[in-house]
């Protein structure tokens, strides 16, 4: 089902408490990574961001090795394993309560990598080693209809995950922008003209488009553009929002 950002927060928390692995699907730039970061912060987990589209099956199974008598797999250091110590937060000096393994671009991985992930998401194993019991897993990926690089998931993999589709809700995003300290001119503008919050179209011809991710970029930019009459203001903002949206915003 389609769910908003605030619904997704509650659902992700419930799924993780139940020991399940959620799969968030949503259009590019809609805020999937931001949700994973929020979950990690909320539950005091160290986030491990692993892009599955950049992985090889060996990254998930481990590298073959031998002791001279038997062959075995050596797992990547990416994965916290049973018996590992909990990590320490360098900012506070306190220990994290565990890890959040965020498998992003999950459905952009090729079929062999997705097959290698079966054991990881269901059996919580990397090769022959068990994941640490304090590891939570969230998967995320783009929608096939948005023209993103997406590989269909097998039915076997589908049933190993629990699914949700993230959609934008304008007022929720505006509330988030206020809380996150975005430049007030952005949140006020989107409150006035909500359709510019997300202008993505799969067949768009611009180099970029307005979306929650790029509006956050624009907010960061505005901190370093003291005078919007500066001749560089338009091309600077056009580089993140597209020329049409940038000109209209200015």
């Amino acid at each position: 089902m389609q769910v908003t950002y605030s619904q997704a927060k509650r659902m992700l928390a419930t799924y993780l408490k139940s020991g399940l692995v959620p799969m968030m699907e949503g259009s590019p730039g809609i805020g999937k990574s931001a949700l994973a970061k929020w979950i990690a912060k909320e539950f005091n987990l160290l986030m491990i961001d692993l892009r599955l589209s950049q992985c090889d099956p060996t990254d998930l199974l481990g590298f073959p090795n031998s002791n001279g008598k038997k062959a075995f797999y050596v797992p990547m250091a990416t994965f916290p394993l049973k018996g590992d110590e909990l990590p320490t937060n360098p900012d506070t000096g306190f220990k994290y309560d565990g890890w959040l393994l965020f498998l992003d671009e999950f459905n952009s991985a090729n079929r062999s990598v997705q097959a290698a992930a079966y054991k990881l998401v269901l059996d919580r194993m990397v090769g022959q080693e068990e994941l640490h019991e304090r590891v939570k897993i969230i998967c995320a990926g783009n929608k096939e209809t948005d023209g993103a690089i997406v590989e269909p998931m097998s039915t076997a993999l589908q049933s190993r995950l629990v699914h949700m589709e993230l959609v934008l809700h304008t007022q929720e995003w505006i509330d988030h922008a206020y809380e996150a300290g975005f430049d007030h001119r952005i949140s006020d503008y989107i409150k006035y003209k909500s359709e510019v919050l997300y202008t993505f179209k799969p067949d768009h011809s611009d180099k970029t488009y307005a979306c929650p991710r790029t509006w956050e970029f624009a907010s960061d930019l505005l901190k370093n553009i003291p005078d919007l009459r500066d001749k560089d203001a338009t091309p600077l903002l056009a580089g993140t929002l597209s020329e049409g949206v940038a000109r209209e915003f200015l």
Side-chain angles (χ1 to χ4, degrees):
M1 288 180 63
Q2 293 185 334
V3 297
T4 65
Y5 203 88
S6 61
Q7 285 177 300
K9 282 182 176 181
R10 297 191 299 270
M11 289 173 63
L12 288 171
T14 303
Y15 281 144
L16 295 181
K17 288 174 183 175
S18 304
L20 303 174
V21 179
M23 171 66 186
M24 285 190 291
E25 284 194 24
S27 297
I30 203 170
K32 299 182 292 292
S33 299
L35 263 175
K37 289 175 183 175
W38 180 87
I39 286 286
K41 185 177 180 180
E42 186 75 5
F43 290 92
N44 190 34
L45 304 173
L46 176 63
M47 183 158 149
I48 302 169
D49 189 340
L50 183 63
R51 307 299 169 101
L52 230 66
S53 62
Q54 300 170 18
C55 288
D56 183 85
T58 311
D59 297 330
L60 304 183
L61 296 173
F63 284 87
N65 207 333
S66 170
N67 60 9
K69 293 183 179 180
K70 289 187 177 182
F72 55 92
Y73 290 105
V74 179
M76 297 284 285
T78 309
F79 303 102
L81 301 177
K82 191 173 182 179
D84 288 351
E85 286 191 15
L86 291 174
T88 301
N89 187 322
D91 297 326
T92 64
F94 294 109
K95 284 191 179 294
Y96 286 102
D97 292 325
W99 298 263
L100 177 64
L101 178 56
F102 181 47
L103 302 177
D104 200 4
E105 301 169 4
F106 193 91
N107 55 357
S108 295
N110 63 44
R111 284 296 188 95
S112 61
V113 176
Q114 289 187 22
Y118 287 8
K119 200 170 184 181
L120 178 63
V121 298
L122 183 65
D123 301 324
R124 297 178 54 82
M125 294 188 71
V126 182
Q128 294 146 323
E129 301 286 342
E130 293 182 35
L131 279 181
H132 197 286
E133 61 273 11
R134 296 283 189 91
V135 174
K136 304 294 185 184
I137 305 174
I138 292 178
C139 305
N142 293 320
K143 292 163 56 181
E144 189 174 357
T145 52
D146 286 333
I149 300 172
V150 171
E151 290 284 341
M153 285 192 289
S154 71
T155 52
L157 184 53
Q158 289 172 352
S159 64
R160 283 167 164 80
L161 306 169
V162 290
H163 301 264
M164 66 171 73
E165 182 183 334
L166 190 63
V167 292
L168 267 180
H169 184 279
T170 303
Q171 188 56 52
E172 281 193 5
W173 187 88
I174 291 170
D175 293 341
H176 163 72
Y178 285 135
E179 290 173 13
F182 285 20
D183 189 290
H184 71 90
R185 290 168 292 188
I186 286 176
S187 45
D188 288 347
Y189 176 58
I190 290 171
K191 195 171 184 179
Y192 159 72
K193 190 172 184 181
S194 61
E195 60 266 32
V196 296
L197 173 57
Y198 196 74
T199 62
F200 171 77
K201 291 182 176 61
D203 59 349
H204 75 93
S205 57
D206 288 325
K207 299 289 186 184
T208 186
Y209 50 91
C211 65
R213 179 191 294 152
T214 55
W215 279 114
E216 185 172 357
F217 292 167
S219 179
D220 293 337
L221 269 175
L222 288 173
K223 296 171 186 174
N224 296 290
I225 309 175
D227 187 352
L228 293 184
R229 293 169 296 183
D230 188 296
K231 64 180 181 180
D232 290 339
T234 301
L236 279 167
L237 287 167
T240 185
L241 298 171
S242 78
E243 183 178 354
V245 175
R247 286 189 181 280
E248 191 175 63
F249 171 73
L250 287 168

